[in-house]
Amino acid sequence: MVLQGTPFCNLNCTYCDLSRESRRTRIQMAPDLIERSFQEIFESPFLGDSLTVIWHSGEPLTLPIGYYEDAITRILQTRMACEREDVDVRFDIQTNGVLIDEAWCAFFLRHASHLDLGISCDGPVSMHDTFRKNWAGRASHAAVVRAFDLLASYGIAPKVIAVVTNLTLADPDAFFEFFWERRSQIRGFHFNVLADGGASADPALNYNASDRERYRSFYKRLLQLTKSRTEWGYDFEIKNLTLGLRRILTARSECVDEYEAQATAPLQSLNIDANGLVTSFYAGLAPDAFPNRYEGGMSLGNIRDTSLLEIATSQKLAIIARDFEQSRAACAAACPYFGVCPGGFELTKFARHGNFDGSETPECVIHVKALTDALLDDLEAHVATSAHHGLPV
Protein backbone atom coordinates (compact mmCIF):
# COMPACT_ATOMS: atom_id res chain seq x y z
CA MET A 1 0.00 0.00 0.00
CA VAL A 2 1.47 3.31 -1.13
CA LEU A 3 0.56 6.46 0.81
CA GLN A 4 1.37 9.90 -0.46
CA GLY A 5 1.93 11.88 2.69
CA THR A 6 2.59 14.89 0.48
CA PRO A 7 3.30 15.47 -3.21
CA PHE A 8 5.72 18.28 -2.29
CA CYS A 9 9.40 17.66 -2.94
CA ASN A 10 12.53 19.61 -2.11
CA LEU A 11 14.20 18.37 -5.32
CA ASN A 12 13.31 18.99 -8.94
CA CYS A 13 14.55 15.77 -10.54
CA THR A 14 14.47 15.81 -14.32
CA TYR A 15 12.77 12.42 -14.67
CA CYS A 16 10.18 12.67 -11.89
CA ASP A 17 6.78 11.13 -12.71
CA LEU A 18 4.90 13.79 -10.75
CA SER A 19 4.05 17.07 -12.39
CA ARG A 20 6.03 20.19 -11.58
CA GLU A 21 2.88 21.76 -10.17
CA SER A 22 2.16 18.90 -7.79
CA ARG A 23 5.74 18.82 -6.53
CA ARG A 24 5.40 22.46 -5.50
CA THR A 25 2.14 21.81 -3.62
CA ARG A 26 2.47 21.82 0.15
CA ILE A 27 -0.48 19.67 1.16
CA GLN A 28 -0.45 16.58 3.33
CA MET A 29 -2.62 13.56 3.89
CA ALA A 30 -4.79 14.44 6.88
CA PRO A 31 -4.74 12.24 10.01
CA ASP A 32 -8.44 11.43 9.71
CA LEU A 33 -7.87 10.32 6.10
CA ILE A 34 -5.17 7.92 7.31
CA GLU A 35 -7.56 6.46 9.88
CA ARG A 36 -10.34 6.16 7.32
CA SER A 37 -8.03 4.43 4.83
CA PHE A 38 -6.82 1.83 7.27
CA GLN A 39 -10.20 1.18 8.77
CA GLU A 40 -11.27 0.24 5.24
CA ILE A 41 -8.18 -1.92 4.80
CA PHE A 42 -8.39 -3.79 8.10
CA GLU A 43 -12.14 -4.36 7.82
CA SER A 44 -11.97 -5.58 4.24
CA PRO A 45 -12.09 -9.25 3.17
CA PHE A 46 -9.21 -8.65 0.75
CA LEU A 47 -6.36 -8.29 3.23
CA GLY A 48 -3.72 -11.01 3.37
CA ASP A 49 -1.52 -11.90 6.33
CA SER A 50 0.96 -9.08 5.72
CA LEU A 51 0.78 -5.45 4.65
CA THR A 52 3.61 -3.12 3.62
CA VAL A 53 2.87 0.60 3.87
CA ILE A 54 5.18 2.74 1.73
CA TRP A 55 5.44 6.52 1.90
CA HIS A 56 6.78 8.10 -1.27
CA SER A 57 5.84 10.12 -4.40
CA GLY A 58 6.77 13.50 -3.08
CA GLU A 59 9.55 13.72 -0.52
CA PRO A 60 8.33 12.15 2.76
CA LEU A 61 10.91 13.87 4.94
CA THR A 62 9.55 17.32 4.10
CA LEU A 63 6.86 16.45 6.64
CA PRO A 64 7.86 16.58 10.33
CA ILE A 65 8.88 13.52 12.31
CA GLY A 66 5.77 13.93 14.46
CA TYR A 67 3.61 13.34 11.39
CA TYR A 68 4.97 9.80 11.01
CA GLU A 69 4.97 9.11 14.75
CA ASP A 70 1.27 9.94 14.74
CA ALA A 71 0.53 8.08 11.50
CA ILE A 72 2.23 4.87 12.63
CA THR A 73 0.42 5.02 15.97
CA ARG A 74 -2.95 5.58 14.26
CA ILE A 75 -2.40 2.72 11.82
CA LEU A 76 -1.40 0.24 14.51
CA GLN A 77 -4.25 1.36 16.78
CA THR A 78 -6.69 0.92 13.91
CA ARG A 79 -5.36 -2.59 13.35
CA MET A 80 -6.02 -3.35 17.02
CA ALA A 81 -9.50 -1.78 16.99
CA CYS A 82 -10.40 -3.88 13.95
CA GLU A 83 -9.01 -7.00 15.67
CA ARG A 84 -6.52 -7.66 12.88
CA GLU A 85 -3.41 -8.07 14.94
CA ASP A 86 -2.80 -11.26 12.99
CA VAL A 87 -1.72 -9.04 10.08
CA ASP A 88 1.98 -8.24 10.02
CA VAL A 89 2.33 -4.53 9.21
CA ARG A 90 5.61 -3.04 8.04
CA PHE A 91 6.39 0.53 7.03
CA ASP A 92 8.76 1.84 4.39
CA ILE A 93 9.93 5.37 3.65
CA GLN A 94 11.52 6.11 0.27
CA THR A 95 13.48 9.36 0.47
CA ASN A 96 16.00 11.34 -1.55
CA GLY A 97 18.08 11.47 1.65
CA VAL A 98 18.88 15.17 1.53
CA LEU A 99 17.05 16.04 4.76
CA ILE A 100 18.31 13.16 6.91
CA ASP A 101 19.81 14.42 10.17
CA GLU A 102 20.35 13.05 13.67
CA ALA A 103 16.70 13.54 14.64
CA TRP A 104 15.59 11.44 11.67
CA CYS A 105 18.19 8.79 12.52
CA ALA A 106 16.77 8.59 16.05
CA PHE A 107 13.28 8.17 14.57
CA PHE A 108 14.44 5.37 12.27
CA LEU A 109 16.03 3.61 15.24
CA ARG A 110 12.88 3.94 17.37
CA HIS A 111 10.89 2.18 14.67
CA ALA A 112 13.57 -0.20 13.46
CA SER A 113 11.48 -3.27 14.31
CA HIS A 114 8.82 -2.39 11.74
CA LEU A 115 10.21 0.33 9.45
CA ASP A 116 12.52 0.08 6.44
CA LEU A 117 14.34 2.97 4.80
CA GLY A 118 15.11 3.45 1.13
CA ILE A 119 17.31 6.15 -0.39
CA SER A 120 17.32 7.25 -4.02
CA CYS A 121 20.84 7.78 -5.35
CA ASP A 122 22.01 7.45 -8.94
CA GLY A 123 25.65 6.65 -8.22
CA PRO A 124 28.71 8.85 -8.81
CA VAL A 125 28.37 12.60 -8.65
CA SER A 126 28.19 13.15 -12.41
CA MET A 127 25.43 10.56 -12.90
CA HIS A 128 23.46 11.79 -9.90
CA ASP A 129 23.74 15.56 -10.03
CA THR A 130 22.97 15.85 -13.74
CA PHE A 131 19.34 14.95 -13.02
CA ARG A 132 18.82 15.35 -9.26
CA LYS A 133 19.04 19.05 -8.43
CA ASN A 134 16.94 21.20 -6.12
CA TRP A 135 14.58 23.94 -7.27
CA ALA A 136 17.40 26.48 -7.26
CA GLY A 137 19.48 24.24 -9.54
CA ARG A 138 21.92 23.20 -6.83
CA ALA A 139 23.32 19.68 -6.70
CA SER A 140 22.21 17.09 -4.12
CA HIS A 141 24.87 14.36 -4.30
CA ALA A 142 27.03 15.63 -1.45
CA ALA A 143 24.01 15.75 0.88
CA VAL A 144 23.06 12.18 -0.02
CA VAL A 145 26.60 10.92 0.68
CA ARG A 146 26.50 12.71 4.03
CA ALA A 147 23.23 10.92 4.75
CA PHE A 148 24.82 7.53 4.03
CA ASP A 149 27.67 8.35 6.41
CA LEU A 150 25.37 9.64 9.16
CA LEU A 151 23.05 6.63 8.92
CA ALA A 152 26.07 4.32 9.10
CA SER A 153 27.22 6.02 12.31
CA TYR A 154 23.84 5.05 13.80
CA GLY A 155 24.08 1.51 12.49
CA ILE A 156 21.31 2.07 9.92
CA ALA A 157 21.75 0.50 6.48
CA PRO A 158 19.12 1.65 3.95
CA LYS A 159 18.05 0.07 0.70
CA VAL A 160 19.12 2.01 -2.39
CA ILE A 161 17.33 2.65 -5.66
CA ALA A 162 19.28 4.12 -8.59
CA VAL A 163 17.89 5.37 -11.90
CA VAL A 164 19.77 4.23 -15.01
CA THR A 165 20.32 6.83 -17.75
CA ASN A 166 22.56 7.01 -20.79
CA LEU A 167 25.27 8.38 -18.48
CA THR A 168 25.08 5.13 -16.51
CA LEU A 169 25.30 3.00 -19.65
CA ALA A 170 28.43 4.89 -20.66
CA ASP A 171 30.31 3.90 -17.49
CA PRO A 172 28.88 0.83 -15.75
CA ASP A 173 32.14 0.28 -13.86
CA ALA A 174 31.95 3.66 -12.11
CA PHE A 175 28.27 3.07 -11.38
CA PHE A 176 28.98 -0.32 -9.81
CA GLU A 177 32.06 0.80 -7.89
CA PHE A 178 30.22 3.68 -6.23
CA PHE A 179 27.76 1.30 -4.57
CA TRP A 180 30.32 -1.45 -4.04
CA GLU A 181 32.51 0.92 -2.02
CA ARG A 182 29.46 1.66 0.17
CA ARG A 183 28.39 -1.97 0.54
CA SER A 184 28.78 -1.82 4.32
CA GLN A 185 26.43 1.19 4.45
CA ILE A 186 23.56 -0.32 2.43
CA ARG A 187 21.60 -3.55 2.70
CA GLY A 188 19.96 -3.82 -0.69
CA PHE A 189 20.59 -2.36 -4.12
CA HIS A 190 18.16 -2.05 -7.02
CA PHE A 191 18.39 -0.03 -10.20
CA ASN A 192 15.45 1.37 -12.18
CA VAL A 193 15.25 1.88 -15.90
CA LEU A 194 12.71 4.62 -16.57
CA ALA A 195 9.22 3.25 -17.17
CA ASP A 196 8.60 5.22 -20.36
CA GLY A 197 11.48 5.22 -22.82
CA GLY A 198 10.25 8.20 -24.80
CA ALA A 199 8.73 10.47 -22.21
CA SER A 200 11.56 12.94 -21.66
CA ALA A 201 12.72 15.91 -23.67
CA ASP A 202 16.25 15.03 -22.52
CA PRO A 203 17.81 12.45 -24.89
CA ALA A 204 19.97 11.13 -22.04
CA LEU A 205 16.79 9.73 -20.46
CA ASN A 206 15.23 8.13 -23.53
CA TYR A 207 15.66 4.72 -25.12
CA ASN A 208 14.06 2.57 -27.80
CA ALA A 209 14.14 -1.03 -29.01
CA SER A 210 17.31 -0.39 -31.02
CA ASP A 211 19.15 0.12 -27.70
CA ARG A 212 18.67 -3.55 -26.78
CA GLU A 213 22.34 -4.50 -27.20
CA ARG A 214 23.53 -1.45 -25.27
CA TYR A 215 21.42 -2.44 -22.29
CA ARG A 216 22.31 -6.10 -22.67
CA SER A 217 26.00 -5.14 -22.48
CA PHE A 218 25.32 -2.97 -19.44
CA TYR A 219 23.55 -5.80 -17.62
CA LYS A 220 26.30 -8.26 -18.57
CA ARG A 221 28.96 -5.94 -17.24
CA LEU A 222 27.14 -5.61 -13.90
CA LEU A 223 26.98 -9.41 -13.76
CA GLN A 224 30.69 -9.69 -14.44
CA LEU A 225 31.57 -7.14 -11.78
CA THR A 226 29.29 -8.78 -9.21
CA LYS A 227 30.75 -12.23 -9.91
CA SER A 228 34.31 -10.93 -9.66
CA ARG A 229 33.61 -9.66 -6.15
CA THR A 230 32.03 -13.00 -5.22
CA GLU A 231 35.22 -14.70 -6.35
CA TRP A 232 37.09 -12.40 -3.96
CA GLY A 233 34.94 -13.76 -1.15
CA TYR A 234 32.50 -10.84 -0.95
CA ASP A 235 28.75 -10.92 -1.39
CA PHE A 236 27.09 -7.99 -3.17
CA GLU A 237 23.59 -8.47 -4.49
CA ILE A 238 21.90 -6.45 -7.22
CA LYS A 239 18.20 -7.20 -6.84
CA ASN A 240 17.39 -6.85 -10.53
CA LEU A 241 19.83 -9.63 -11.37
CA THR A 242 18.73 -12.05 -8.66
CA LEU A 243 15.03 -11.51 -9.35
CA GLY A 244 15.60 -11.92 -13.09
CA LEU A 245 17.46 -15.15 -12.46
CA ARG A 246 14.68 -16.38 -10.21
CA ARG A 247 12.14 -15.76 -12.96
CA ILE A 248 14.23 -17.78 -15.40
CA LEU A 249 14.65 -20.68 -12.98
CA THR A 250 10.91 -20.87 -12.23
CA ALA A 251 9.73 -20.24 -15.80
CA ARG A 252 8.86 -23.89 -16.41
CA SER A 253 7.32 -24.54 -13.02
CA GLU A 254 3.69 -24.34 -11.98
CA CYS A 255 4.19 -20.66 -11.03
CA VAL A 256 5.08 -19.65 -14.60
CA ASP A 257 2.68 -16.69 -14.53
CA GLU A 258 3.24 -15.74 -10.89
CA TYR A 259 5.18 -12.51 -11.42
CA GLU A 260 3.13 -11.21 -14.34
CA ALA A 261 -0.17 -12.09 -12.68
CA GLN A 262 0.76 -10.31 -9.47
CA ALA A 263 1.61 -7.10 -11.31
CA THR A 264 -1.79 -7.06 -13.00
CA ALA A 265 -3.99 -8.38 -10.18
CA PRO A 266 -6.68 -5.97 -8.92
CA LEU A 267 -5.97 -4.75 -5.37
CA GLN A 268 -2.61 -6.56 -5.25
CA SER A 269 -1.38 -3.05 -4.55
CA LEU A 270 -3.34 -0.01 -3.44
CA ASN A 271 -2.25 3.61 -3.83
CA ILE A 272 -3.84 6.55 -2.01
CA ASP A 273 -2.75 10.08 -2.79
CA ALA A 274 -2.73 12.98 -0.34
CA ASN A 275 -6.31 13.88 -1.25
CA GLY A 276 -7.67 10.35 -0.81
CA LEU A 277 -7.90 9.27 -4.47
CA VAL A 278 -7.36 5.53 -4.89
CA THR A 279 -5.64 3.67 -7.71
CA SER A 280 -4.64 0.04 -8.00
CA PHE A 281 -2.50 -2.16 -10.24
CA TYR A 282 0.80 -0.35 -10.76
CA ALA A 283 -0.73 2.97 -11.85
CA GLY A 284 1.09 4.66 -9.02
CA LEU A 285 -0.14 8.01 -7.80
CA ALA A 286 -1.50 9.23 -11.12
CA PRO A 287 -5.25 9.11 -10.59
CA ASP A 288 -5.93 11.35 -13.59
CA ALA A 289 -4.02 9.21 -16.12
CA PHE A 290 -5.74 7.92 -19.29
CA PRO A 291 -8.97 9.95 -18.95
CA ASN A 292 -9.90 9.21 -22.57
CA ARG A 293 -9.97 5.49 -21.82
CA TYR A 294 -11.42 5.58 -18.32
CA GLU A 295 -13.86 8.23 -17.17
CA GLY A 296 -12.08 10.31 -14.58
CA GLY A 297 -8.77 8.59 -15.30
CA MET A 298 -7.33 5.69 -13.29
CA SER A 299 -8.88 6.82 -10.01
CA LEU A 300 -11.26 4.26 -8.53
CA GLY A 301 -12.83 6.77 -6.14
CA ASN A 302 -11.97 8.73 -3.04
CA ILE A 303 -11.50 6.65 0.09
CA ARG A 304 -13.25 9.39 2.10
CA ASP A 305 -16.61 8.59 0.56
CA THR A 306 -16.12 5.29 -1.28
CA SER A 307 -15.60 2.06 0.62
CA LEU A 308 -13.00 -0.47 -0.42
CA LEU A 309 -15.79 -2.96 -1.02
CA GLU A 310 -17.46 -0.49 -3.41
CA ILE A 311 -14.14 0.00 -5.19
CA ALA A 312 -13.53 -3.74 -5.45
CA THR A 313 -16.97 -4.42 -6.94
CA SER A 314 -17.10 -1.35 -9.17
CA GLN A 315 -17.67 -1.54 -12.90
CA LYS A 316 -14.64 0.66 -13.47
CA LEU A 317 -12.28 -1.75 -11.73
CA ALA A 318 -13.81 -4.60 -13.73
CA ILE A 319 -13.22 -2.69 -16.99
CA ILE A 320 -9.57 -1.96 -16.14
CA ALA A 321 -9.02 -5.58 -15.05
CA ARG A 322 -10.57 -6.78 -18.32
CA ASP A 323 -8.23 -4.55 -20.32
CA PHE A 324 -5.22 -5.79 -18.38
CA GLU A 325 -6.24 -9.42 -18.86
CA GLN A 326 -6.62 -8.82 -22.59
CA SER A 327 -3.12 -7.36 -22.60
CA ARG A 328 -1.71 -10.34 -20.70
CA ALA A 329 -3.37 -12.77 -23.11
CA ALA A 330 -1.86 -10.96 -26.09
CA CYS A 331 1.60 -11.19 -24.56
CA ALA A 332 1.15 -14.83 -23.59
CA ALA A 333 0.22 -15.69 -27.17
CA ALA A 334 2.95 -13.70 -28.91
CA CYS A 335 5.96 -13.26 -26.65
CA PRO A 336 8.51 -16.01 -25.92
CA TYR A 337 9.64 -14.01 -22.87
CA PHE A 338 6.21 -14.02 -21.25
CA GLY A 339 7.15 -16.63 -18.64
CA VAL A 340 9.94 -14.43 -17.29
CA CYS A 341 8.12 -11.09 -17.53
CA PRO A 342 7.48 -9.26 -14.25
CA GLY A 343 4.52 -7.51 -15.85
CA GLY A 344 3.49 -3.91 -15.48
CA PHE A 345 3.53 -2.85 -19.12
CA GLU A 346 -0.20 -2.75 -19.87
CA LEU A 347 -0.63 1.02 -19.75
CA THR A 348 2.64 1.58 -21.58
CA LYS A 349 1.42 -0.72 -24.35
CA PHE A 350 -1.88 1.13 -24.54
CA ALA A 351 -0.04 4.44 -24.79
CA ARG A 352 2.20 3.04 -27.53
CA HIS A 353 -0.33 1.08 -29.57
CA GLY A 354 -3.66 2.66 -28.70
CA ASN A 355 -5.07 -0.74 -27.71
CA PHE A 356 -4.38 -3.69 -25.40
CA ASP A 357 -3.90 -6.24 -28.19
CA GLY A 358 -0.28 -5.34 -28.85
CA SER A 359 2.72 -7.12 -27.49
CA GLU A 360 6.24 -5.75 -27.68
CA THR A 361 7.16 -2.19 -26.71
CA PRO A 362 10.59 -0.59 -26.28
CA GLU A 363 10.00 -0.83 -22.53
CA CYS A 364 9.52 -4.62 -22.74
CA VAL A 365 12.67 -4.93 -24.85
CA ILE A 366 14.87 -2.97 -22.45
CA HIS A 367 13.39 -3.98 -19.07
CA VAL A 368 12.78 -7.68 -19.76
CA LYS A 369 14.30 -9.02 -22.94
CA ALA A 370 17.73 -7.41 -22.75
CA LEU A 371 18.07 -8.36 -19.08
CA THR A 372 16.94 -11.94 -19.69
CA ASP A 373 19.37 -12.22 -22.63
CA ALA A 374 22.23 -11.07 -20.41
CA LEU A 375 21.31 -13.55 -17.68
CA LEU A 376 20.99 -16.40 -20.18
CA ASP A 377 24.40 -15.50 -21.64
CA ASP A 378 25.85 -15.79 -18.16
CA LEU A 379 24.09 -19.09 -17.43
CA GLU A 380 25.24 -20.59 -20.73
CA ALA A 381 28.83 -19.56 -20.04
CA HIS A 382 28.59 -21.10 -16.56
CA VAL A 383 27.24 -24.37 -17.98
CA ALA A 384 29.93 -24.50 -20.66
CA THR A 385 32.75 -23.82 -18.18
CA SER A 386 31.43 -26.41 -15.71
CA ALA A 387 31.11 -29.02 -18.46
CA HIS A 388 34.65 -28.30 -19.69
CA HIS A 389 36.05 -28.91 -16.21
CA GLY A 390 33.82 -31.88 -15.51
CA LEU A 391 32.06 -30.04 -12.68
CA PRO A 392 28.37 -30.27 -11.72
CA VAL A 393 26.31 -27.43 -13.15
Side-chain angles (χ1 to χ4, degrees):
M1 184 174 178
V2 175
L3 294 185
Q4 184 184 51
T6 178
F8 178 80
C9 190
N10 55 325
L11 295 187
N12 182 28
C13 299
T14 308
Y15 47 65
C16 186
D17 290 334
L18 297 182
S19 70
R20 181 183 179 91
E21 180 183 6
S22 68
R23 288 181 283 123
R24 299 304 296 266
T25 304
R26 287 184 178 273
I27 61 171
Q28 66 182 45
M29 180 178 285
D32 68 307
L33 180 54
I34 295 174
E35 286 190 15
R36 163 71 179 173
S37 300
F38 283 90
Q39 183 175 0
E40 285 294 325
I41 291 290
F42 289 124
E43 290 182 349
S44 82
F46 313 112
L47 185 59
D49 57 7
S50 64
L51 176 66
T52 301
V53 180
I54 306 170
W55 279 289
H56 81 103
S57 249
E59 171 49 43
L61 302 196
T62 60
L63 297 178
I65 290 173
Y67 178 86
Y68 295 101
E69 295 279 14
D70 179 68
I72 290 172
T73 298
R74 287 174 184 268
I75 292 167
L76 296 180
Q77 287 178 344
T78 303
R79 179 182 64 169
M80 182 181 298
C82 295
E83 299 181 345
R84 293 308 308 269
E85 291 176 280
D86 58 313
V87 178
D88 178 37
V89 178
R90 291 200 61 81
F91 302 95
D92 196 315
I93 290 179
Q94 183 65 37
T95 172
N96 58 44
V98 170
L99 299 176
I100 290 176
D101 58 16
E102 293 193 0
W104 278 111
C105 288
F107 167 79
F108 299 141
L109 284 180
R110 283 197 300 276
H111 295 278
S113 64
H114 54 218
L115 186 144
D116 297 311
L117 177 66
I119 291 183
S120 299
C121 177
D122 291 348
V125 60
S126 60
M127 297 179 193
H128 181 100
D129 280 344
T130 299
F131 306 106
R132 300 184 65 83
K133 294 182 171 66
N134 67 16
W135 291 97
R138 289 191 289 271
S140 63
H141 189 268
V144 177
V145 171
R146 285 196 298 272
F148 281 131
D149 293 340
L150 181 60
L151 289 166
S153 72
Y154 278 81
I156 302 168
K159 300 172 291 183
V160 176
I161 296 178
V163 171
V164 170
T165 69
N166 284 331
L167 298 182
T168 324
L169 297 184
D171 197 350
D173 289 54
F175 177 72
F176 177 89
E177 292 297 338
F178 176 85
F179 296 106
W180 162 256
E181 290 171 1
R182 286 156 183 78
R183 64 192 180 278
S184 64
Q185 296 183 336
I186 62 180
R187 65 177 184 83
F189 174 60
H190 184 278
F191 61 81
N192 279 343
V193 178
L194 293 173
D196 188 339
S200 177
D202 189 332
L205 297 175
N206 290 336
Y207 57 84
N208 55 53
S210 66
D211 292 314
R212 182 170 182 167
E213 287 305 312
R214 291 179 65 218
Y215 277 84
R216 181 177 183 171
S217 296
F218 170 72
Y219 300 142
K220 288 179 71 171
R221 183 56 182 160
L222 292 185
L223 273 164
Q224 292 167 355
L225 292 167
T226 303
K227 289 174 65 178
S228 70
R229 300 311 195 272
T230 302
E231 291 169 359
W232 297 356
Y234 295 100
D235 184 23
F236 184 74
E237 179 185 11
I238 300 177
K239 296 289 186 181
N240 311 67
L241 306 182
T242 54
L243 291 175
L245 180 60
R246 181 183 167 197
R247 289 194 292 270
I248 290 172
L249 296 178
T250 59
R252 293 187 178 273
S253 72
E254 65 278 2
C255 58
V256 60
D257 293 344
E258 173 189 354
Y259 300 99
E260 223 282 343
Q262 286 185 357
T264 58
L267 304 187
Q268 175 73 22
S269 63
L270 202 65
N271 317 297
I272 305 180
D273 76 2
N275 294 308
L277 294 176
V278 179
T279 57
S280 187
F281 304 100
Y282 56 88
L285 292 157
D288 56 349
F290 298 93
N292 293 332
R293 178 69 181 186
Y294 309 112
E295 184 178 356
M298 292 294 292
S299 171
L300 298 170
N302 194 306
I303 200 69
R304 283 192 182 278
D305 50 37
T306 308
S307 72
L308 193 55
L309 183 60
E310 289 174 313
I311 288 173
T313 57
S314 68
Q315 183 182 13
K316 187 171 186 178
L317 182 62
I319 291 171
I320 298 173
R322 181 199 63 199
D323 285 347
F324 277 36
E325 183 54 39
Q326 180 183 0
S327 179
R328 290 187 69 240
C331 288
C335 183
Y337 290 76
F338 179 76
V340 295
C341 181
F345 298 101
E346 284 73 24
L347 295 177
T348 306
K349 284 199 298 178
F350 180 73
R352 292 273 184 182
H353 302 311
N355 59 61
F356 290 93
D357 296 326
S359 178
E360 181 177 284
T361 67
E363 291 74 22
C364 304
V365 171
I366 300 305
H367 286 252
V368 182
K369 297 184 177 183
L371 177 59
T372 301
D373 292 343
L375 290 164
L376 289 174
D377 290 343
D378 186 68
L379 285 170
E380 289 171 0
H382 172 72
V383 170
T385 300
S386 298
H388 177 75
H389 295 286
L391 300 172
V393 175

